[in-house]
Amino acid sequence: MSNSDETAARPEPAPALPRVLEDYLDHLGVERGLSANTLASYRRDLDRYLVWLAGRGIDRLDDVSPADVGAFATALASGEGQQAPLARSSVGRSVVAVRGFHRFTTSEGITPTDAAAEVSPPRVGTRLPKALRLEQVTALLASPDPTTVEGVRDAALLELLYGTGARISEVCGLDVDEVSRALDDPDAGLRLLGKGSKERIVPLGRYARDAVRAWLVRGRPEWQSRAACPGPALLLNSRGNRLSRQSAWAVVQRAAERANITDEVSPHSLRHSYATHLLDGGADIRVVQELLGHSSVTTTQIYTLVTVEHLREVYRSAHPRAR
């Protein structure tokens, strides 16, 4: 056999794992349109996976077996080294990321077989969303101090979260121009940019409109003047920059403390409460699905379980034959 024949017969070297990971993340972002937050979550899970493989001396995807993938899931659940055990939901998310990664490498011809095809994420029991009672929401929304710039900003944030059912990232991502259109024409609604860059329009109620107008007139101009490079963001921090999700979470926590709410409260609690209170009020589940931006009504149906549980509580407390 000639040297040229030997060269032709030699298999191509496998691409380095980090490079394959970047190709996969590019695929998720460009072809599937996943959001930056979702991509960051995939990167964290898969970085952990590649580090774990390297610790077992595996540097080629061809060498990964189904047993390796299963052992990775077990290690996440039990904890390994300095790594604390992960919750079942977190393990499931990581396994889903790994399965998608291996499916991609197989479809692209990088590996001949899918090592993760037979490894299923652990089953997670249904966890009902924690919705606040209406009186708790009322106290929460009334807690900011309207005489301070911070209080006016906080009131606008809270009213937007509960009044629209938006995710915290959607509210923090709002710009002034987008909200101004909803303020000028309430019938037009508020445009939100959700997961996967999907847009939806939600009604903006009077309380939210009043709170946002107060912020635009009495608070935002003062804080915007502090920014080195003023931007279009609706909600700002005291330095004039766009309010981060972490800071918004802290706003909700402080409001809960002022309202003397001992239950765990987060920005998502207001989204849960929005959906639950709509269904309690007689809203059609498919309307709530559209308002929440869920791609499937199945996702929204978990809120009907919350309302059924509420009915059970009322029955148990009020009916003489319930116990």
Side-chain angles (χ1 to χ4, degrees), residues 194-270:
K195 290 184 176 180
S197 298
K198 294 179 182 177
E199 293 186 8
R200 69 184 187 281
I201 305 295
V202 299
L204 191 64
R206 177 173 62 85
Y207 288 96
R209 293 200 306 272
D210 290 347
V212 171
R213 285 196 184 99
W215 163 243
L216 290 174
V217 173
R218 295 166 41 205
R220 188 179 183 277
E222 179 179 333
W223 279 7
Q224 186 187 36
S225 65
R226 303 177 183 180
C229 183
L234 171 66
L235 297 173
L236 308 176
N237 59 27
S238 59
R239 297 183 300 278
N241 301 320
R242 185 182 295 272
L243 186 70
S244 68
R245 291 182 301 153
Q246 293 79 8
S247 296
W249 187 91
V251 168
V252 176
Q253 291 288 297
R254 290 195 298 268
E257 291 175 3
R258 288 193 298 267
N260 295 319
I261 299 175
T262 57
D263 295 334
E264 182 179 348
V265 179
S266 70
H268 226 60
S269 300
L270 292 173

Side-chain angles (χ1 to χ4, degrees), residues 34-182:
L34 299 190
S35 69
N37 291 333
T38 303
L39 288 175
S41 177
Y42 269 84
R43 180 181 292 278
R44 284 192 301 271
D45 289 332
L46 292 172
D47 278 344
R48 181 190 290 128
Y49 178 55
L50 297 192
V51 169
W52 186 85
L53 289 177
R56 291 169 71 93
I58 299 173
D59 58 6
R60 288 168 44 91
L61 284 172
D62 285 355
D63 297 333
V64 179
S65 69
D68 292 321
V69 180
F72 172 67
T74 301
L76 293 179
S78 61
E80 190 171 88
Q82 300 299 316
Q83 173 70 49
L86 296 184
R88 188 175 287 237
S89 58
S90 298
V91 175
R93 185 199 64 220
S94 294
V95 171
V96 167
V98 169
R99 281 167 56 94
F101 180 53
H102 279 283
R103 187 163 54 247
F104 168 79
T105 63
T106 305
S107 66
E108 294 294 308
I110 298 171
T111 56
T113 58
D114 184 348
E118 302 302 322
V119 181
S120 300
R123 297 188 62 177
V124 180
T126 301
R127 182 181 178 185
L128 298 182
K130 181 65 174 178
L132 299 173
R133 300 189 304 275
L134 186 57
E135 61 268 23
Q136 289 177 312
V137 173
T138 302
L140 188 78
L141 298 178
S143 66
D145 183 355
T147 65
T148 66
V149 173
E150 182 179 56
V152 176
R153 190 276 314 274
D154 292 355
L157 169 66
L158 295 171
E159 290 287 359
L160 282 170
L161 287 171
Y162 179 66
T164 66
R167 302 176 179 91
I168 188 63
S169 57
E170 295 169 346
V171 171
C172 290
L174 287 172
D175 291 337
V176 172
D177 288 348
E178 296 165 345
V179 180
S180 295
R181 286 193 289 270

